[in-house]
Amino acid sequence: MKIVIVGGGTGGWLCAARIKQKLPEAEVTLIESPNVPQLGVGESVVPPLRLFLQELGFEDKDWMSQTGSIYKLGNMFQNWVYNKGEKHFFTFNYNLSEKYMFSDQVNLDIGPWLNCNHADTRLSDYWLDLYNAGIKSPEELNPDTDCQHYFMENLLSPYKDENYILNPLWSSSLHVNADKLGSFVRDNKALSMGVKHIKSHIKEVVLNENGVEKLITDQGDLSADYYLDCSGLGRLLIKKVSDSWKDYDFIPVKKCWVMPVKYDNPYEEMTNYTQSLAMSAGWRFKVTLYHRYGTGYCFDENFISEQQALDEIIQQVPEKNLIRSPRLLKWDPGHFSEPWTKNVIAIGLSAGFAEPMEANGLYLTISNIDETWRQLKKIHDNEYGVEEASRRYNHKSVILFNDTYEFLYPHYHLTKRTDSEFWKYQQHLNIKNGTEEMVRSHYRSPVNTTQMCGDGYTIYPDYIWAAMAVYYRCNTKNYETKINKNLIEKAVNHFRDFNSKWKSTSAGQETYYDWMKKNRFNGLEHSDLQNQLDI
Ligand SMILES: Cc1cc2nc3c(=O)[nH]c(=O)nc-3n(C[C@H](O)[C@H](O)[C@H](O)COP(=O)(O)OP(=O)(O)OC[C@H]3O[C@@H](n4cnc5c(N)ncnc54)[C@H](O)[C@@H]3O)c2cc1C
């Protein structure tokens, strides 16, 4: 089987290494243009990416120290509801069904989490019931249910020496260095596995009835059985063979000013969580690495000009600390409903992109990559043909892209902010679209269960939809909770004990920066790594 991967960004190199690992007999060539740089943003990721890197054979210690990457425990949203400093940490946690929920969670096997499904009465149902009764407040949700809470609030290490002390099931993830991860995978895995690397610009894509016949490059023609399109937002191949593009109408941000920034004081600035900070006409991400952070203002140009957006973010970022000048990135939010068309398989950004919120980009990329090798293997093993393989790939890709889209846009619609025209307009869309009701339905959807997370169909399990409803002060009185009133006192005790257990466990922990410095960066200061890595 001859495979050509178009694109040498993070997506292309992750794809090359994984495809070669899973289909070792395939002849894999990766082509990237010397004239088109990789996007170089995209640093906050979700737990499956960590697993993906581990399965490629990378030990955290090896690759983190060489790229400046760190662990993240969640994503903090601030000022999205009232613009009065309100915040919520969206974390990686999983619901337990009633049967298991009063056990000591940390000592449980992961089985009980994976067996919890949408029809069960769940731990979050009890918390919601207490909230609806006025016994709990939105601010108590994080400490009552997230083992990561005090570690994030106080910037503490989740490790004792090398022992991870939080819930063992996918409770942490990563901030990765977008400029370095792809080349690290190239140099430390893909090339040594036998992936052929061509640096040449594709000048023309020649089509035939099967899709792509050949690629005409600066250095000659290239042909293959399958073409994996990892060309990013340019969508070099897929846009030529598929007319299945669908816009995401409710994503208001289509432009972003991005910039890498040095720290003044990493003890305070290097957060073990991503920051999503609401702005006057959109939001700003802040993703911290060991030696610097990346930040960007995603804005709606219907409400603010490019210059006004730049002025607004520059007021919040010390200009003296900019490592590079701000860059303006643009995209059209949407996705292909047939990202596998004929012999072209679009992966990650080239298959679609809504926006950076909630670290979804590389997750969708690795999900597409894994589904690609699985389906190509089925074809290779003669289990079924290309038509069935592409149907299955497209089905899964559409579920994932739409599930992500539906999790993102409520963050705008559910606001109660009235301090700018942008936020007032989002409130109007909530009413017009019925977004609050859509969020409620996801809380009991069969797609948003922990099991579906395990099967790679979602990264937004039930509890996180409830957390969204609570943070945005939605009406949750009509949520179907089905709790057993006889157990309510037990539940109250459970949340109290959970909260105090993690508070006291966190109390003795090292600061996050000190632990990272000692255990992942061989004692190197953040500024020394900054000098070594340059970016
Ligand atoms: C503002 C912003 C913030 C983001 N934040 C996050 C985040 O926090 N978390 C996350 O997971 N994702 C995020 N993403 C998405 C993330 O950036 C991408 O998923 C990631 O960078 C992978 O990109 P890629 O490899 O698909 O494409 P790119 O990095 O764009 O690479 C494209 C490749 O195609 C090649 N190419 C293009 N044209 C040609 C040609 N004619 N001939 C030969 N080669 C060609 C280029 O040379 C390049 O190598 C963000 C995206 C944006 C826009």
Side-chain angles (χ1 to χ4, degrees):
M1 190 183 285
K2 267 178 90 174
I3 295 172
V4 165
I5 297 170
V6 173
T10 314
W13 284 110
L14 289 175
C15 181
R18 186 64 150 189
I19 294 285
K20 194 65 192 163
Q21 179 187 42
K22 294 295 182 179
L23 305 171
E25 70 292 348
E27 193 185 307
V28 180
T29 302
L30 182 146
I31 177 167
E32 65 175 312
S33 169
N35 316 332
V36 185
Q38 65 169 338
L39 199 57
V41 286
E43 313 211 297
S44 177
V45 303
V46 289
L49 191 97
R50 189 171 176 199
L51 202 62
F52 187 94
L53 291 170
Q54 281 166 357
E55 285 174 6
L56 278 180
F58 293 124
E59 294 281 339
D60 289 358
K61 260 190 172 168
D62 302 338
W63 71 272
M64 291 174 83
S65 62
Q66 292 186 48
T67 58
S69 304
I70 65 169
Y71 299 113
K72 98 174 195 198
L73 303 177
N75 191 341
M76 191 266 280
F77 276 61
Q78 190 161 30
N79 289 335
W80 291 72
V81 194
Y82 304 118
N83 195 20
K84 293 196 171 144
E86 69 285 349
K87 66 178 188 183
H88 180 81
F89 291 104
F90 288 92
T91 54
F92 314 110
N93 279 320
Y94 300 91
N95 237 327
L96 281 173
S97 60
E98 196 174 60
K99 195 160 126 202
Y100 297 106
M101 67 192 197
F102 301 122
S103 322
D104 180 350
Q105 294 195 21
V106 172
N107 295 329
L108 283 173
D109 292 335
I110 61 171
W113 276 290
L114 293 177
N115 288 331
C116 180
N117 75 45
H118 66 290
D120 290 337
T121 298
R122 301 153 298 182
L123 191 62
S124 56
D125 289 328
Y126 281 85
W127 197 92
L128 276 179
D129 199 71
L130 294 166
Y131 172 61
N132 288 336
I135 296 167
K136 292 284 180 189
S137 69
E139 292 74 25
E140 288 171 281
L141 180 58
N142 279 143
D144 279 359
T145 58
D146 297 315
C147 54
Q148 303 93 334
H149 174 77
Y150 291 106
F151 296 77
M152 293 191 283
E153 273 287 342
N154 301 312
L155 299 182
L156 298 172
S157 166
Y159 283 88
K160 238 187 185 92
D161 298 324
E162 279 298 337
N163 295 325
Y164 185 67
I165 59 174
L166 304 182
N167 182 332
L169 182 65
W170 309 323
S171 57
S172 70
S173 182
L174 298 161
H175 286 167
V176 300
N177 184 338
D179 283 287
K180 303 284 179 198
L181 182 60
S183 53
F184 181 85
V185 173
R186 175 191 69 204
D187 297 340
N188 293 279
K189 192 59 67 173
L191 295 181
S192 57
M193 288 169 118
V195 173
K196 192 173 160 204
H197 183 198
I198 301 176
K199 268 205 151 185
S200 181
H201 190 75
I202 297 168
K203 294 189 293 191
E204 198 186 330
V205 179
V206 179
L207 303 179
N208 64 15
E209 68 282 2
N210 297 323
V212 171
E213 182 186 323
K214 61 181 174 182
L215 306 174
I216 300 183
T217 83
D218 290 342
Q219 296 172 22
D221 297 355
L222 203 58
S223 60
D225 300 313
Y226 297 98
Y227 297 84
L228 311 191
D229 187 350
C230 297
S231 64
L233 294 170
R235 303 182 174 126
L236 196 64
L237 308 186
I238 189 70
K239 72 181 180 195
K240 292 208 157 44
V241 295
S242 175
D243 56 6
S244 66
W245 179 259
K246 306 265 182 272
D247 285 328
Y248 285 143
D249 296 332
F250 288 141
I251 298 296
V253 298
K254 299 176 186 176
K255 289 187 175 176
C256 183
W257 282 110
V258 297
M259 58 208 85
V261 189
K262 281 185 201 164
Y263 292 123
D264 280 324
N265 178 357
Y267 281 98
E268 287 171 7
E269 294 174 275
M270 194 187 92
T271 55
N272 49 9
Y273 52 86
T274 305
Q275 296 171 66
S276 302
L277 313 166
M279 303 280 275
S280 72
W283 68 284
R284 178 182 158 209
F285 59 81
K286 200 168 166 189
V287 185
T288 50
L289 300 179
Y290 184 69
H291 56 300
R292 64 157 174 88
Y293 63 90
T295 190
Y297 182 4
C298 304
F299 60 94
D300 181 346
E301 61 183 334
N302 293 308
F303 292 89
I304 195 169
S305 69
E306 289 174 4
Q307 187 58 47
Q308 286 168 326
L310 183 59
D311 293 344
E312 191 179 340
I313 186 171
I314 284 299
Q315 274 176 18
Q316 301 180 5
V317 177
E319 233 174 323
K320 69 173 175 57
N321 290 358
L322 288 186
I323 296 170
R324 273 187 199 154
S325 305
R327 277 190 298 151
L328 184 66
L329 300 176
K330 305 174 189 181
W331 64 92
D332 293 319
H335 74 126
F336 285 95
S337 59
E338 291 173 2
W340 182 334
T341 296
K342 299 185 174 175
N343 60 2
V344 173
I345 307 171
I347 289 177
L349 279 189
S350 71
F353 183 58
E355 64 143 300
M357 195 198 295
E358 284 289 358
N360 67 84
L362 284 171
Y363 169 65
L364 293 168
T365 302
I366 59 167
S367 303
N368 281 163
I369 293 171
D370 276 344
E371 202 55 23
T372 298
W373 70 256
R374 279 191 201 110
Q375 295 305 331
L376 289 177
K377 190 163 186 326
K378 298 280 184 194
I379 296 172
H380 177 262
D381 296 346
N382 288 322
E383 284 195 36
Y384 44 72
V386 169
E387 211 169 299
E388 179 60 14
S390 59
R391 191 191 65 72
R392 290 183 185 214
Y393 179 87
N394 291 338
H395 174 72
K396 188 164 187 182
S397 184
V398 167
I399 289 182
L400 275 173
F401 274 88
N402 284 341
D403 191 49
T404 299
Y405 171 54
E406 291 197 341
F407 188 71
L408 301 190
Y409 75 75
H411 285 286
Y412 300 102
H413 285 193
L414 298 181
T415 188
K416 301 203 166 19
R417 284 180 64 156
T418 52
D419 57 321
S420 76
E421 291 309 311
F422 170 78
W423 290 106
K424 282 192 221 162
Y425 183 63
Q426 294 302 322
Q427 285 198 46
H428 155 79
L429 291 177
N430 178 27
I431 293 161
K432 198 168 148 202
N433 183 52
T435 305
E436 204 168 319
E437 177 53 27
M438 190 272 291
V439 169
R440 188 178 77 91
S441 68
H442 271 288
Y443 180 58
R444 281 237 178 253
S445 160
V447 172
N448 300 108
T449 62
T450 310
Q451 171 137 29
M452 289 299 241
C453 286
D455 292 345
Y457 276 95
T458 184
I459 36 169
Y460 309 107
D462 45 18
Y463 86 93
I464 207 167
W465 294 89
M468 173 147 67
V470 170
Y471 172 57
Y472 284 95
R473 279 65 169 175
C474 296
N475 173 19
T476 49
K477 296 226 157 76
N478 58 355
Y479 276 45
E480 192 193 343
T481 51
K482 300 192 296 187
I483 64 143
N484 179 347
K485 291 280 177 199
N486 296 328
L487 293 177
I488 199 81
E489 205 183 315
K490 247 182 149 180
V492 171
N493 293 341
H494 166 83
F495 293 123
R496 186 201 57 217
D497 293 348
F498 183 91
N499 188 331
S500 57
K501 170 184 174 163
W502 288 110
K503 189 173 191 177
S504 58
T505 307
S506 72
Q509 284 302 105
E510 253 178 300
T511 68
Y512 189 54
Y513 180 73
D514 281 336
W515 186 88
M516 290 299 296
K517 181 172 149 189
K518 194 162 55 184
N519 295 285
R520 292 292 176 269
F521 293 93
N522 306 316
L524 208 64
E525 290 289 349
H526 70 102
S527 47
D528 295 334
L529 188 71
Q530 170 58 33
N531 293 335
Q532 271 182 25
L533 290 181
D534 183 33
I535 191 70

